């Protein structure tokens, strides 16, 4: 048989057989579905956010809308979901059974409350049920419950710290993650508040408040419920760049464990998330789109990557990219020029179009040979031509002034 | 008869359009004789702007329904698609057809008033009608002389399996209704028949004659000529119920006749008999493949020597050939192998070896094949008389005839307006 590569790791004192977690979302809202996910090989599960019995959860359907090209309609997925309609009594039962059937997997639960008593009751009951980890939703785009209903808890630094403290007080030695939103002025301040409140880690981050689309004939928002719509929480590949920035900002500024969440769609994204500081990665849109079988490629792709790179554990990747992320003014100033790899060029002329109408008019077009010619004097090295080239036939040649140090900037996708 | 090729679904069109690189100075557009802005209409498919896409094509090309079905893309646009260097070319003609199948030609039509002189258009095929449309757009009054129905070869001969009658009729009706000032049901054979009412003349009579196969037995019952057969098929007459038919030739017409005969009766044997080899076939690859799919068989390197039979066709005597040197057409010539005659048993023979021009218009200069000679601006030796399409080029494609019609109209206007560009 093939060589097995160990993907197991420690996370807040919990042993994870792999760093791929099913996040608190529709794929973990039914017992059977969560069960099937764990059976399919996911490393852990965070059951969809639950609340005390008195809370009503008025879910509305249709709940989802998406955008993307015809051939891949779900580049971004929007939902007008709320927390689970199942209350803590049901979740307690599920935690007990799942923990019994899957003692090796991480069984987590997500909670949301209105007042201190709710939060602490939820924690106490889950702890008793045997949960490995508690995640607190401070960031559902449809709003939190309580005094400031409709506003996300993590948008207030004071509230974040206060509620994190309530939860941690009740959780004692059970690890607590606070799930925050990227929709704030200063993510670092929020992360600091989480730490100050005593929580063990941060889930960075959540879906992003959005408006998925408008029917241009009827002017109904998507998803349309009898012609009316609401702002959605956006997930999927569309938000990956925002999540990457959120994780990196926290990791660079606050010493706290991070669980990455929001836009990871394959093992390559996992490497990126972890390299900017996440210790594991949560998934929702991927299994919602293509099912739990996607875990196979995640595990194999990541394992082969670790092996090819000479890493021994997933944790070896964590934070690897952070030293390279600087502020704009800290960056070196290479003299950058576009360079054509002529044997790769197919002669489509898109670089010429981009440079003449959207760049610096530094490319001439030979219509006979269908070849671009780069004018080194006019080229400022913006790299737009490289971005539009369909066959990666353009690379950027970078030199530091008065130095022989030459570097080629080539984006590998 | 049902069309062989189906139109793209919205999903197929979107995926195919997404593959287009939207090349600058796109090679497909240069390769299109009618210079249709292909990259632009594909971009409009991407944004689901089909009306806009139709406008783009219609601006450049009056025969858009027809060409969306029968244009030999493998010879023109698709043959130079940049995507070939990466994987496979964009299916440009199919995208073109997707637009025409999902839009209406009459929308957004705006005509300038016809205030200028009358122009005589002799022949209402693709070249003639393309010229009509351009002239009408410049404000001239085109008068068409046509004995048959408008539309030329596509309307009268191309099989309904490739170009359904309702499509080609819709197109001709649209052009006639909006652009033709008058139709005269007269066959014009000399310039003298046209009175002085006309400011200029465009000859686009096409090729009306058919090349004869000069071998014994060519007058037997059961010997047919390809165009006559296609015309009969097109007008709905059932073809004779022969069970073994040989089609002599290797061009598009021969292959099309063979396909039509096979579709009409899938149980009959239809064999294309060609004197050269597979590489020398002139028919378009796609049509050959379609014929093979239908069950048409091919007999290569077989030179017809005699049609056998008493009163009716009983078979074809052929001589086996091998390929010799290249001839003037650039293809290797068949050399008969002595004592290699054999008989192909047949009940009917269709001769499809090419078309010829009927020699009309005595004052107009022609070449040895009877084709009209023109200068670069498509003017004949007679001032104010222009010509284009098959009567100038020999057998060609609809899109090339359209290109000629457009070009002639521009040059007619330039000629009449004292060299001014219109």
């Amino acid at each position: 048989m093939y060589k097995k590569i160990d993907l197991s790791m420690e996370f807040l004192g919990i042993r994870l057989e792999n760093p791929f977690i099913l996040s608190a979302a529709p794929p973990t809202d039914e017992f059977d579905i969560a069960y099937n996910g764990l059976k399919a090989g996911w490393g852990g599960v965070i059951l969809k956010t639950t609340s005390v019995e008195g809370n009503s959860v008025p879910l509305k359907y249709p709940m989802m809308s998406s955008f993307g090209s015809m051939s891949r309609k779900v580049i971004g997925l929007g939902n007008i979901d709320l927390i689970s309609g199942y209350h803590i009594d049901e979740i307690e039962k599920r935690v007990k059974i799942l923990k019994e059937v899957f003692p090796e997997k991480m069984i987590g639960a997500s909670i949301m409350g209105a007042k201190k008593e709710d939060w602490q009751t939820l924690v106490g009951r889950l702890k008793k049920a045997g949960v490995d980890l508690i995640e607190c939703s401070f960031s559902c785009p449809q709003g939190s419950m309580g005094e400031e209903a409709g506003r996300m808890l993590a948008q207030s630094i004071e509230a974040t710290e206060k509620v994190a403290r309530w939860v941690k007080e009740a959780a004692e030695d059970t690890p607590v993650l606070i799930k925050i939103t990227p929709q704030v002025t200063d993510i670092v301040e929020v992360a600091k508040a989480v730490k100050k409140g005593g929580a063990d880690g941060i889930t960075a981050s959540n879906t992003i408040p959005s408006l998925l689309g408008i029917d241009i004939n009827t002017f109904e928002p998507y998803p349309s419920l009898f012609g009316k719509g609401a702002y959605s929480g956006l997930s999927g590949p569309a938000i990956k760049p925002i999540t990457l920035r959120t994780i990196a900002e926290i990791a660079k500024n606050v010493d706290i464990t991070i669980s990455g969440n929001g836009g990871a769609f394959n093992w390559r994204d996992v490497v990126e998330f972890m390299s900017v500081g996440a210790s594991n990665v949560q998934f929702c849109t991927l299994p919602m789109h293509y099912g739990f079988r996607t875990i196979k490629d995640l595990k194999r792709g990541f394992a082969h990557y670790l092996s090819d790179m000479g890493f021994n554990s997933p944790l070896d990747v964590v934070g690897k990219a952070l030293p390279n992320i600087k502020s704009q003014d800290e960056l070196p100033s290479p003299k950058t020029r576009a360079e054509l790899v002529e044997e790769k060029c197919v002669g489509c002329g898109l670089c010429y179009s981009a440079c003449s109408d959207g760049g610096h008019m530094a490319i001439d077009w030979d219509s006979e040979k269908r070849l671009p010619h780069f004018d080194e004097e006019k080229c400022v090295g913006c790299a737009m031509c490289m971005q539009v080239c369909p066959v990666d036939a353009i690379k950027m040649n970078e030199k530091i002034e008065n130095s022989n140090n030459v570097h080629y900037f080539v984006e590998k996708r | 008869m049902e069309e062989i090729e189906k139109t793209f679904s919205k999903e197929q069109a979107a995926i195919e359009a997404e593959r287009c690189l939207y090349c600058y100075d796109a090679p497909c557009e240069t390769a299109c004789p009618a210079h249709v802005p292909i990259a632009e209409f594909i971009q409009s498919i991407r944004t689901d702007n089909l009306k806009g896409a139709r406008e783009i094509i219609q601006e450049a090309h009056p025969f858009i329904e027809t060409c969306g079905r029968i244009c030999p893309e493998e010879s023109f646009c698709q043959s130079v698609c940049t995507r070939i260097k990466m994987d496979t070319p964009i299916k440009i003609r199919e995208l073109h057809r997707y637009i025409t199948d999902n839009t209406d030609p009459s929308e957004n039509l705006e005509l300038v008033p016809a205030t200028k002189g009358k122009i005589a258009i002799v022949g209402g095929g693709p070249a003639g009608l393309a010229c009509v449309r351009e002239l009408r757009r410049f404000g001239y009054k085109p008068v068409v002389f046509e004995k048959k129905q408008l539309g030329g070869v596509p309307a009268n001969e191309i099989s309904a399996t490739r170009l359904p009658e309702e499509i080609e009729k819709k197109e001709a009706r649209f052009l006639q209704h909006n652009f033709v000032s008058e139709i005269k049901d007269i066959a014009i054979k000399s310039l003298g028949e046209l009175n002085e009412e006309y400011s200029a003349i465009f000859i686009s009579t096409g090729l009306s004659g058919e090349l004869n196969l000069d071998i014994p037995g060519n007058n037997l019952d059961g010997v047919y000529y390809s165009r006559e057969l296609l015309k009969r098929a097109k007008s709905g007459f059932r073809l004779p119920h022969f069970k073994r038919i040989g089609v002599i030739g290797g061009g598009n017409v021969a292959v099309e006749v063979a396909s039509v005969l096979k579709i009409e009766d899938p149980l009959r044997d239809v064999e294309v008999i060609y004197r050269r080899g597979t590489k020398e076939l002139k028919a378009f690859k796609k049509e050959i493949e379609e014929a093979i799919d239908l069950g048409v068989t091919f007999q290569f390197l077989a030179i017809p020597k005699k049609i056998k039979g008493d009163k009716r066709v009983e078979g074809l005597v052929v001589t086996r050939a091998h390929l010799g040197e290249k001839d003037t057409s650039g293809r290797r010539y068949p050399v008969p192998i002595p004592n290699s005659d054999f008989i192909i048993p047949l009940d009917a023979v269709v001769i499809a070896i090419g078309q010829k021009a009927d020699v009309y218009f005595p004052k107009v200069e022609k070449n040895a094949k009877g084709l009209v000679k023109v200068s670069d601006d498509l003017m004949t030796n007679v001032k104010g008389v222009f010509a284009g399409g098959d009567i100038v080029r020999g057998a060609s494609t609809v899109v090339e005839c359209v290109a000629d019609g457009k070009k002639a109209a521009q040059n007619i206007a330039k000629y009449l307006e004292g060299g001014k560009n219109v």
Side-chain angles (χ1 to χ4, degrees):
Chain A
M1 277 307 285
Y2 299 106
K3 180 174 70 170
K4 281 254 185 280
I5 294 162
D6 188 12
L7 293 178
S8 70
M9 56 176 282
E10 283 283 314
F11 174 69
L12 297 176
I14 306 160
R15 185 192 167 273
L16 286 177
E17 67 173 47
N18 63 57
F20 312 120
I21 313 288
L22 291 169
S23 70
T28 63
D29 195 29
E30 292 296 339
F31 175 82
D32 287 349
I33 300 182
Y35 177 95
N36 290 341
L38 291 168
K39 210 172 148 206
W42 294 79
V45 66
I46 300 176
L47 300 177
K48 192 176 175 188
T49 308
T50 185
S51 55
V52 290
E53 286 90 336
N55 285 317
S56 75
V57 184
L59 298 172
K60 309 268 173 82
Y61 299 91
M63 185 181 273
M64 308 291 171
S65 180
S66 70
F67 73 87
S69 65
M70 177 68 80
S71 52
R72 230 190 116 189
K73 281 164 70 186
V74 188
I75 295 296
L77 179 72
N79 71 79
I80 52 166
D81 200 1
L82 289 174
I83 61 170
S84 176
Y86 295 112
H87 292 297
I88 184 69
D89 50 337
E90 175 61 30
I91 303 305
E92 282 174 305
K93 285 183 216 159
R94 294 182 182 183
V95 167
K96 278 182 196 156
I97 303 171
L98 289 174
K99 204 58 228 175
E100 213 175 290
V101 183
F102 301 104
E104 298 298 311
K105 308 262 186 184
M106 185 196 88
I107 310 299
S110 170
I111 55 170
M112 189 194 276
K115 36 190 202 288
K116 184 178 179 182
E117 192 196 336
D118 293 351
W119 287 100
Q120 294 196 334
T121 304
L122 291 166
V123 173
R125 290 173 69 172
L126 283 171
K127 209 170 137 68
K128 220 172 148 196
V131 83
D132 292 313
L133 170 142
I134 292 165
E135 187 180 81
C136 304
S137 177
F138 281 20
S139 49
C140 174
Q142 313 311 334
S144 304
M145 296 176 292
E147 287 151 22
E148 287 191 89
R151 185 173 174 191
M152 290 184 265
L153 201 54
Q155 285 178 323
S156 158
I157 289 161
E158 296 73 31
T160 298
E161 187 185 329
K162 185 173 74 179
V163 181
R165 185 165 291 123
W166 294 344
V167 174
K168 190 57 196 171
E169 261 173 32
E172 298 169 320
D173 55 350
T174 301
V176 170
L177 285 175
I178 306 294
K179 191 171 182 177
I180 55 157
T181 171
Q183 185 88 343
V184 291
T185 311
D186 188 347
I187 197 76
V188 175
E189 288 304 310
V190 179
K192 282 180 179 165
V194 170
K195 187 167 172 156
K196 241 169 143 184
D200 303 275
I202 290 179
T203 298
S205 35
N206 205 327
T207 56
I208 296 171
S210 61
L211 188 55
L212 249 288
I214 301 289
D215 183 313
I216 61 168
N217 297 113
T218 62
F219 304 105
E220 297 170 31
Y222 296 138
S224 168
L225 285 68
F226 275 108
K228 309 291 179 222
Y231 302 119
S232 306
L234 183 65
S235 67
I239 68 165
K240 179 189 132 187
I242 297 167
T243 306
L244 276 179
R245 179 258 175 187
T246 307
I247 298 170
E249 275 265 58
I250 298 170
K252 279 182 82 73
N253 295 289
V254 186
D255 180 20
I256 193 163
T257 302
I258 302 168
S259 179
N261 180 55
F265 226 62
N266 55 50
W267 66 266
R268 308 177 76 94
D269 295 337
V270 169
V271 175
E272 291 184 56
F273 275 39
M274 294 180 80
S275 76
V276 297
S279 294
N280 58 34
V281 180
Q282 301 189 20
F283 287 84
C284 166
T285 310
L286 175 69
M288 282 180 76
H289 195 168
Y290 295 120
F292 291 139
R293 58 193 169 148
T294 47
I295 186 64
K296 289 185 189 167
D297 181 63
L298 285 175
K299 289 205 284 193
R300 290 202 179 109
F302 190 52
H304 286 296
Y305 167 81
L306 292 180
S307 165
D308 292 349
M309 293 290 286
F311 292 132
N312 296 312
S313 155
L315 293 173
D316 291 350
V317 182
V318 178
K320 276 273 186 252
L322 290 174
N324 300 324
I325 301 172
K326 303 285 182 197
S327 63
Q328 197 267 357
D329 59 308
E330 289 175 299
L331 295 177
S333 310
K335 189 181 170 199
T336 306
R337 298 293 177 263
E339 209 176 287
L340 181 72
V341 186
E342 208 174 305
E343 58 277 16
K344 276 188 166 186
C345 177
V346 291
C348 68
L350 286 183
C351 55
Y352 172 76
S353 285
C355 194
S356 47
D357 297 352
H360 294 79
M361 294 193 278
I363 301 179
D364 284 328
W365 180 244
D366 181 337
S367 54
E368 285 292 304
K369 291 184 186 154
R370 295 200 66 79
L371 262 184
H373 290 296
F374 295 80
D375 183 334
E376 205 172 307
E377 289 304 306
K378 287 184 184 169
C379 177
V380 297
C382 73
M384 188 59 200
C385 52
M386 186 178 104
Q387 298 303 327
V388 300
C389 177
V391 288
D392 295 332
I394 298 170
K395 54 185 185 175
M396 308 307 292
N397 169 349
E398 299 178 340
K399 289 176 197 161
I400 296 287
E401 213 79 56
N402 305 321
S403 151
N404 291 327
N405 192 357
V406 181
H407 178 255
Y408 280 102
F409 164 45
V410 183
E411 287 183 12
K412 292 181 197 136
R413 294 190 178 87
Chain B
M1 281 184 191
E2 207 182 318
E3 247 186 309
I4 295 175
E5 193 183 276
K6 301 290 170 236
T7 193
F8 267 170
S9 68
K10 187 173 179 178
E11 289 74 19
Q12 282 173 307
I15 291 167
E16 196 60 16
E18 205 56 54
R19 292 177 63 235
C20 171
L21 298 172
Y22 202 7
C23 296
Y24 173 76
D25 183 18
C28 52
E29 296 175 3
T30 313
C32 171
H35 298 306
V36 172
I38 294 164
E40 285 178 32
F41 83 64
I42 295 180
Q43 171 67 3
S44 290
I45 295 176
R46 279 181 181 160
T47 67
D48 201 20
N49 173 12
L50 296 193
K51 286 184 187 175
R54 177 183 266 275
E55 271 173 12
I56 291 168
I57 308 178
Q58 210 155 255
E59 189 68 28
H61 196 324
F63 268 82
I64 91 168
E65 316 279 344
T66 300
C67 272
R69 283 178 162 75
I70 61 157
C71 204
E73 73 277 21
E74 63 195 60
S75 308
F76 297 122
C77 52
Q78 253 173 246
S79 68
V80 293
C81 175
T82 305
R83 200 82 219 186
I84 293 171
K85 296 178 191 161
M86 298 164 71
D87 40 48
T88 53
I90 305 295
K91 291 180 174 161
I92 298 169
R93 188 184 51 74
E94 283 90 333
L95 286 174
H96 173 147
R97 174 174 165 187
Y98 168 72
I99 295 166
T100 59
D101 280 357
N102 290 287
T103 49
D104 184 339
S106 54
E107 283 180 11
N108 305 320
L109 188 71
E110 199 177 35
L111 289 176
V112 297
T115 53
K116 299 177 186 173
K118 282 187 184 178
I119 316 285
I121 311 292
V122 187
L129 288 179
C131 188
V132 160
R133 195 192 71 161
E134 291 300 288
L135 286 170
R136 179 64 189 79
R137 295 204 310 179
F138 300 146
Y140 288 93
K141 300 182 194 100
V143 177
V144 179
F145 293 85
E146 174 62 71
K147 267 299 260 183
K148 292 177 279 188
Q149 74 171 87
L150 289 188
V153 170
N156 297 303
E157 292 172 39
I158 289 178
S159 132
T161 57
R162 292 209 294 137
L163 180 64
E165 214 176 347
E166 68 271 15
I167 297 293
E168 137 272 299
K169 271 191 176 156
K170 177 175 134 189
E171 182 135 280
R173 258 203 313 269
F174 172 72
L175 290 167
Q176 180 183 333
H177 180 73
N178 293 293
F179 301 99
V180 176
S181 290
E182 199 183 335
I183 301 181
K184 297 204 171 187
D185 186 12
I186 309 165
I188 300 289
K189 293 185 178 175
S190 75
L191 296 175
E193 296 172 55
L194 299 169
N195 55 35
E196 287 178 354
E197 265 183 83
Y198 302 101
S199 313
I201 296 164
F202 179 58
I203 300 172
S204 53
T205 47
L207 303 173
S208 42
E210 195 150 14
L211 290 176
N212 190 7
L213 184 64
D214 196 14
I215 56 171
N218 65 3
N219 55 351
L220 291 173
D221 278 356
V223 175
Y224 294 89
Y225 281 86
S226 58
R227 295 181 69 186
E228 172 204 344
L229 211 74
L230 287 173
K231 279 178 211 166
R232 286 179 64 171
K234 188 85 182 182
S235 52
F237 292 118
R238 294 282 291 169
L239 297 171
H241 291 253
F242 298 112
K243 288 295 170 198
R244 293 174 302 179
I245 306 180
V247 182
I248 299 171
N252 284 315
V253 173
V255 174
E256 178 150 2
V257 165
S259 292
V260 166
L261 291 169
K262 193 70 188 173
I263 289 167
E264 192 198 52
D265 181 0
L267 293 176
R268 75 162 52 119
D269 295 329
V270 180
E271 186 154 65
V272 174
I273 297 148
Y274 183 47
R275 58 192 184 135
R276 304 187 203 230
T278 44
K279 281 187 187 163
E280 287 75 29
L281 273 176
K282 275 173 104 177
F284 298 129
K285 206 173 134 211
K286 194 159 169 276
E287 279 165 47
I288 297 169
E289 282 167 4
E290 273 173 14
I292 292 170
D293 281 349
L294 289 166
V296 170
T297 56
F298 287 77
Q299 177 74 249
F300 291 104
L301 297 165
I303 305 172
K305 197 175 172 187
K306 183 184 167 187
I307 301 172
K308 209 170 155 278
D310 186 7
K311 272 185 81 179
R312 306 189 59 81
V313 172
E314 287 166 17
L316 182 70
V317 181
V318 293
T319 304
R320 183 54 82 205
H322 69 84
L323 288 175
E325 295 301 309
K326 286 183 180 173
D327 63 13
T328 47
S329 74
R331 295 173 301 160
R332 295 177 68 188
Y333 196 77
V335 180
I337 300 170
N339 306 318
S340 66
D341 289 4
F342 64 102
I343 298 170
I344 304 172
L346 298 166
D347 322 313
V349 167
V350 183
I351 296 164
I353 57 169
Q355 298 133 40
K356 64 175 183 188
D358 281 322
V359 184
Y360 300 131
F361 303 103
K363 282 186 188 161
V364 174
E365 199 183 337
K366 295 168 205 79
N367 69 12
K369 288 181 177 172
L371 300 174
V372 172
K373 285 167 114 179
V374 290
S375 58
D376 282 348
D377 58 4
L378 300 184
M379 201 180 332
T380 65
N381 61 313
V382 184
K383 263 193 140 194
V385 177
F386 294 75
D390 285 358
I391 191 65
V392 169
R393 292 172 174 269
S396 61
T397 59
V398 173
V399 69
E400 288 168 306
C401 292
V402 161
D404 279 0
K406 273 172 67 179
K407 188 175 167 188
Q410 283 152 10
N411 286 318
I412 288 170
K414 209 165 154 184
Y415 165 79
L416 293 175
E417 289 163 37
K420 271 190 289 174
N421 278 319
V422 287

